[in-house]
Amino acid sequence: MAYDYEKYIRPGKLPHIWCPGCGHGIVMKGLIRAMGTLNLKKEETALVSGIGCASRLPGYIDCCTLHTAHGRAVPFATGIKMARPEMNVILVGGDGDGTAIGGNHFIHACRRNIDMTYIIMNNYIYGMTGGQFSPCTPTGDKASTTPYGNPDPGFDLAKLAIGAGATFVARGTAFHANQIDKLIVEAIQHKGFSVVEILDDCPTTYGRRNKYKSVIEMMNRLKEIAVPVKAAEKMTAEQLKGKVLTGVLYKEEIKPEYTAEYAKVIERAKAAK
Amino acid sequence: MEKKMPRIEIIEKYCKGCRICVEFCPKDVLEMKGFYASVKNIEACISCMQCELRCPDFAIKVITE
Amino acid sequence: MSKKVAFIQGNEAGAYGALYAGCTFFGGYPITPSTEVAEVMSVELPKIGGKFIQMEDEIGAMAAVLGASLAGAKALTATSGPGLSLKQELIGYGCIAEIPCVIFNVMRGGPSTGMPTGPSQSDVMCAKWGTHGDHPAICLVPASVQETFEEVIRAFNLSEKYRTPVMIMPDEIIAHMRERVVFPEPGEIEVVPRKSPTVPAEQYKPYDISFGDVPPLASFGSGYKFHVTGLNKMQDGFPTTKADIVQAEEERQVRKVNANVDDIVTFEEYLLDDAEVAVVAYGSTSRSARYAVNIAREQGIKAGMFRIKTFWPFPDKQIKALAGKVKGIVIPEMNLGMCSLELERCAQGQVPVLGIFRVDGEPINPDQILEKIKEVK
Ligand SMILES: Cc1ncc(C[n+]2csc(CCOP(=O)(O)OP(=O)(O)O)c2C)c(N)n1
Ligand code: SF4
Ligand code: SF4
Ligand code: SF4
Ligand SMILES: [Mg+2]
């Protein structure tokens, strides 16, 4: 049966602003299905973003939504979660927002392991401002500010999150739409800081400057590079060259969650009073 | 029991003509008609839902009973 | 019952004032000379079930404060010059999204790292003009430890009443000086609660001007759902570029403060009735000024002091009237002439404005002020 997305879409807000074929819409649908699966209460769910095309997502979703400043979704959300630990806090945003201007906040939220889910739509580019390179743009690629090819090496966002101490890290792609909601559901259920990177496409500012002349070529690329973690186990290093792993990449349940730890601080402070 | 034929609804006011649904349908059910996606061959549809899942614009619905 | 009395620093008084005002969240990043505020909050907040978080930088701290406030907490951050510079983008966010909070900024020498332990009054312009775009600004400048305690409460009250970030800016001398503070009993000083919505959740709009220039603010997690953005917004909180709405909303945001200057602006007039020379001063500098005025009086000079307690909005009306009464205005300040510019603007050329500007990390002493008083002819 066709999925009823209306349940979590704000009335009258569609069509959205994203370009034809932009993967952000596919991710938004995945998020809505995940919210539906978990039956998240709108009044008890905060959806927080920064600035960028991806960060326009919360405006469409019917819950407590906060469109903050560029790179600052994580600390705004941290304030909300600390003040109301009982709320579900979900963050969405782009690769530039999350790993460049917001990179410091990102690694510290990973370190704290505060119970929130961060969905990063990695389209390898600053889409909103017209296609400047981001910390996730592959070396050699063209962006409006790397006309001779990008000299910067890019981040592996998932490794960054794991290294910084996030306790749930998953990766999917906009092509593998069916998997997006499942990864998000698992991430939200996880108690701790969870990161879901969705490899995404920006046909307008990235694809056309590089070798992907259409949305379809960009989608095909996502299809080709993705290898599920399970399948990768049986592949050789040679076979894995140029591929990216998808699925749940990392999960641990030993590290304490931050708001729970702070609850203990409160107990200790009250005992010492 | 014979499976009922799905119905595919394309909401033109949302469709941005990106072709994703058309290109990745495993059974070649859809086509572009002018700017919009449209159904060419509903008989072949296996209700895999991929077109609906991948449409970035909430513009296609696969309605099964 | 006798009241609780303590001999404490301005920074500590600031923290206790915040707690009196009902603050339950602190987000900060350590910086001299404001750190004691964070330290006291880290001790006291968890005792009452409040939350303290040391963020990764001042931008993060400002963001956390705004997030916590949206979730219903009265929230405080403390910082100093360089941190205030970092917070500016999000202070603007608080202004446009209309999120109450208090910024306790201890003024130290600048620009940049400047003189971390030296006193200064050079952040007063940053308090109004630091963030880009037209926006309301409220900034209080206490001159004693007791006043720091009381003015932090007023800062919280104003932030809730006008739904906007409010700054309180003691200079380093006030922040680190120890004085006797008499703590008021609960209820003795008014504490203004947040104006919550009265309409059912489905009808709630976060910028509903049918409730006046300051619409009620619901909290995330309290049964209401709504959208907040830093873009120009409509009454329902969603972005707009419609010219008439943007114009009206921007004007309302600024009008909240500008139409209420008489409610917000506070000052002290000392020996001004017959004064021929007015010393205008604020913060620790006003203590030297008071001393200088007393000596001038002993020497037969009719001097008085106008002490600015609310720097923004600036006491335009009062200064204009003052300039019409005296022969000259003397302004001692620990910067190169910030308040002085405002005084000249308000005095409109009626009388000369003589400045004593010090940025060497030393306080302005009464002798210097007395000398200037004598220059007024
Ligand atoms: C402080 C600040 N600096 C720069 C910008 C300009 N800016 C807006 S969005 C953006 C990049 C967004 O890229 P990303 O987060 O990857 O999102 P996308 O648009 O690709 O979805 C930039 C640089 C801004 N809005 N604020
Ligand atoms: S510019 Fe790129 S990221 Fe932005 S909406 Fe268009 S396709 Fe999407
Ligand atoms: S449901 Fe599957 S088979 Fe049917 S049109 Fe969509 S993609 Fe094609
Ligand atoms: S995927 Fe959606 S928007 Fe794109 S052509 Fe098909 S129906 Fe239209
Ligand atoms: Mg991007």
Side-chain angles (χ1 to χ4, degrees):
Chain A
M1 194 57 207
Y3 193 87
D4 178 20
Y5 290 98
E6 308 281 309
K7 185 181 167 198
Y8 283 102
I9 290 272
R10 286 190 162 117
K13 293 291 172 194
L14 292 180
H16 54 61
I17 56 159
W18 296 311
C19 304
C22 175
H24 296 347
I26 304 175
V27 180
M28 176 154 78
K29 289 169 72 180
L31 171 62
I32 292 173
R33 293 193 304 276
M35 292 173 77
T37 302
L38 295 169
N39 200 15
L40 295 189
K41 291 229 169 61
K42 298 171 179 184
E43 293 79 6
E44 289 161 21
T45 302
L47 183 59
V48 186
S49 70
I51 296 287
C53 295
S55 292
R56 291 304 283 266
L57 193 154
Y60 302 107
I61 306 286
D62 195 16
C63 65
C64 301
T65 53
L66 177 58
H67 178 222
T68 73
H70 195 26
R72 314 303 169 198
V74 169
F76 269 87
T78 301
I80 295 173
K81 187 70 187 177
M82 285 294 278
R84 288 195 194 261
E86 70 282 5
M87 279 192 98
N88 311 302
V89 179
I90 304 168
L91 301 98
V92 291
D95 48 314
D97 188 75
T99 67
I101 192 164
N104 194 33
H105 306 307
F106 175 53
I107 57 172
H108 286 278
C110 293
R111 173 179 63 81
R112 288 187 191 103
N113 195 32
I114 186 163
D115 187 25
M116 320 193 283
T117 295
Y118 191 6
I119 301 160
I120 306 188
M121 288 162 251
N122 180 3
N123 57 8
Y124 307 88
I125 202 80
Y126 289 164
M128 176 159 268
T129 43
Q132 300 74 34
F133 74 101
S134 92
C136 295
T137 306
T139 309
D141 277 9
K142 295 251 170 69
S144 78
T145 47
T146 56
Y148 307 108
N150 181 21
D152 283 32
F155 269 138
D156 180 329
L157 214 158
K159 277 191 188 151
L160 178 67
I162 296 166
T167 49
F168 180 99
V169 180
R171 187 190 282 131
T173 87
F175 179 80
H176 303 88
N178 201 16
Q179 188 190 26
I180 297 173
D181 51 319
K182 303 193 173 59
L183 295 176
I184 297 174
V185 164
E186 225 184 303
I188 293 173
Q189 282 172 330
H190 176 79
K191 195 119 187 81
F193 194 70
S194 50
V195 179
V196 181
E197 176 188 17
I198 304 295
L199 302 180
D200 205 345
D201 67 312
C202 170
T204 308
T205 80
Y206 177 67
R208 72 181 172 86
R209 275 200 186 86
N210 292 287
K211 48 187 181 288
Y212 317 105
K213 296 303 169 206
S214 71
V215 175
I216 305 308
E217 284 174 54
M218 296 212 79
M219 281 287 154
N220 273 323
R221 171 181 155 274
L222 294 176
K223 183 179 167 185
E224 280 152 25
I225 61 172
V227 177
V229 260
K230 272 267 153 12
E233 284 167 11
K234 300 186 205 93
M235 289 166 73
T236 64
E238 188 58 32
Q239 287 170 316
L240 284 171
K241 239 177 126 186
K243 306 282 184 194
V244 282
L245 302 191
T246 56
V248 177
L249 307 179
Y250 183 76
K251 183 173 174 149
E252 68 121 306
E253 279 162 341
I254 301 155
K255 185 173 175 176
E257 190 276 322
Y258 192 76
T259 59
E261 283 303 289
Y262 199 82
K264 291 184 200 160
V265 169
I266 292 177
E267 271 174 39
R268 291 199 293 271
K270 283 184 171 167
K273 201 147 94 171
Chain B
M1 205 176 86
E2 205 195 329
K3 216 178 141 277
K4 268 183 102 181
M5 195 77 73
R7 194 161 59 77
I8 292 182
E9 193 185 322
I10 289 163
I11 304 156
E12 292 195 350
K13 68 173 180 182
Y14 292 166
C15 175
K16 289 179 186 158
C18 71
R19 305 181 68 95
I20 290 177
C21 57
V22 174
E23 294 287 339
F24 295 104
C25 167
K27 295 293 168 188
D28 201 19
V29 174
L30 307 164
E31 65 178 343
M32 295 306 290
K33 230 185 202 160
F35 185 79
Y36 305 110
S38 128
V39 181
K40 168 174 77 178
N41 178 21
I42 191 68
E43 284 78 25
C45 177
I46 53 168
S47 308
C48 71
M49 311 302 282
Q50 291 303 324
C51 54
E52 182 185 303
L53 281 162
R54 287 201 188 101
C55 171
D57 288 278
F58 301 81
I60 181 162
K61 285 183 178 167
V62 182
I63 299 149
T64 52
E65 298 313 317
Chain C
M1 208 178 84
S2 64
K3 280 190 189 160
K4 222 180 122 201
V5 173
F7 193 69
I8 54 172
Q9 281 187 346
N11 279 341
E12 294 170 287
Y16 292 121
L19 293 163
Y20 187 99
C23 173
T24 56
F25 183 90
F26 181 94
Y29 188 82
I31 182 166
T32 304
S34 79
T35 306
E36 295 82 3
V37 180
E39 287 170 344
V40 172
M41 293 311 263
S42 76
V43 173
E44 298 300 329
L45 275 175
K47 288 187 193 167
I48 56 164
K51 311 290 164 65
F52 168 92
I53 189 166
Q54 183 169 307
M55 293 298 288
E56 48 277 5
D57 59 28
E58 284 87 348
I59 306 174
M62 195 63 223
V65 158
L66 293 170
S69 178
L70 263 182
K74 284 192 176 180
L76 174 74
T77 188
T79 192
S80 183
L84 184 66
S85 293
L86 284 177
K87 287 180 192 295
Q88 289 298 341
E89 186 196 7
L90 296 187
I91 290 172
Y93 190 97
C95 292
I96 193 168
E98 302 179 64
I99 305 172
C101 64
V102 174
I103 299 130
F104 188 100
N105 177 72
V106 181
M107 293 189 276
R108 72 182 221 188
S112 190
T113 311
M115 205 190 290
T117 52
S120 167
Q121 294 176 315
S122 57
D123 295 353
V124 288
M125 284 295 171
C126 192
K128 181 163 171 68
W129 305 112
T131 195
H132 63 282
D134 288 297
H135 58 276
I138 301 178
C139 176
L140 316 180
V141 281
S144 72
V145 176
Q146 180 79 40
E147 195 169 87
T148 303
F149 179 93
E150 288 162 9
E151 288 293 88
V152 168
I153 301 168
R154 194 163 76 93
F156 271 99
N157 287 348
L158 291 170
S159 84
E160 295 296 344
K161 189 168 178 188
Y162 296 108
R163 213 184 134 175
T164 193
V166 171
M167 299 195 204
I168 171 159
M169 291 198 178
D171 54 68
E172 188 274 340
I173 294 175
I174 301 300
H176 277 163
M177 149 168 99
R178 283 180 188 277
E179 280 185 326
R180 195 178 111 102
V181 171
V182 183
F183 293 106
E185 298 292 335
E188 197 177 325
I189 297 182
E190 189 198 11
V191 167
V192 175
R194 185 163 301 178
K195 195 159 101 186
S196 304
T198 46
V199 297
E202 319 78 65
Q203 284 165 31
Y204 177 69
K205 286 187 274 182
Y207 308 97
D208 189 344
I209 52 171
S210 65
F211 292 93
D213 278 351
V214 189
L217 175 60
S219 325
F220 281 0
S222 72
Y224 289 79
K225 56 181 165 64
F226 54 99
H227 185 62
V228 176
T229 176
L231 291 163
N232 284 107
K233 81 280 179 186
M234 301 179 283
Q235 289 191 47
D236 61 6
F238 290 96
T240 183
T241 51
K242 271 203 175 140
D244 54 337
I245 299 177
V246 173
Q247 177 86 20
E249 277 291 280
E250 287 258 338
E251 284 177 2
R252 178 181 62 78
Q253 272 153 225
V254 174
R255 187 171 64 232
K256 286 194 299 186
V257 167
N258 286 359
N260 291 292
V261 286
D262 289 339
D263 180 49
I264 302 168
V265 168
T266 50
F267 50 86
E268 179 197 347
E269 288 171 308
Y270 181 66
L271 306 181
L272 278 177
D273 284 348
D274 62 341
E276 292 174 350
V277 184
V279 182
V280 178
Y282 55 101
S284 67
T285 310
S286 69
R287 300 166 75 112
S288 295
R290 189 184 309 271
Y291 199 87
V293 163
N294 288 344
I295 296 175
R297 286 273 169 182
E298 280 168 22
Q299 298 178 2
I301 304 166
K302 287 186 178 162
M305 175 175 69
F306 183 93
R307 180 165 74 87
I308 295 174
K309 287 176 71 177
T310 306
F311 201 99
W312 302 114
F314 200 74
D316 288 21
K317 196 168 68 182
Q318 290 78 7
I319 298 297
K320 188 180 172 191
L322 183 67
K325 276 186 0 191
V326 296
K327 291 185 182 154
I329 291 175
V330 171
I331 165 71
E333 52 182 338
M334 290 185 282
N335 57 50
L336 291 177
M338 293 184 178
C339 184
S340 172
L341 277 175
E342 289 300 300
L343 295 176
E344 281 173 5
R345 178 178 63 77
C346 299
Q348 297 172 335
Q350 298 177 82
V351 289
V353 175
L354 309 180
I356 306 160
F357 306 137
R358 250 190 124 148
V359 288
D360 60 354
E362 294 298 323
I364 294 171
N365 59 50
D367 287 348
Q368 281 180 286
I369 301 171
L370 187 62
E371 233 172 83
K372 258 310 174 239
I373 290 174
K374 289 178 178 168
E375 280 177 31
V376 176
K377 293 280 157 349

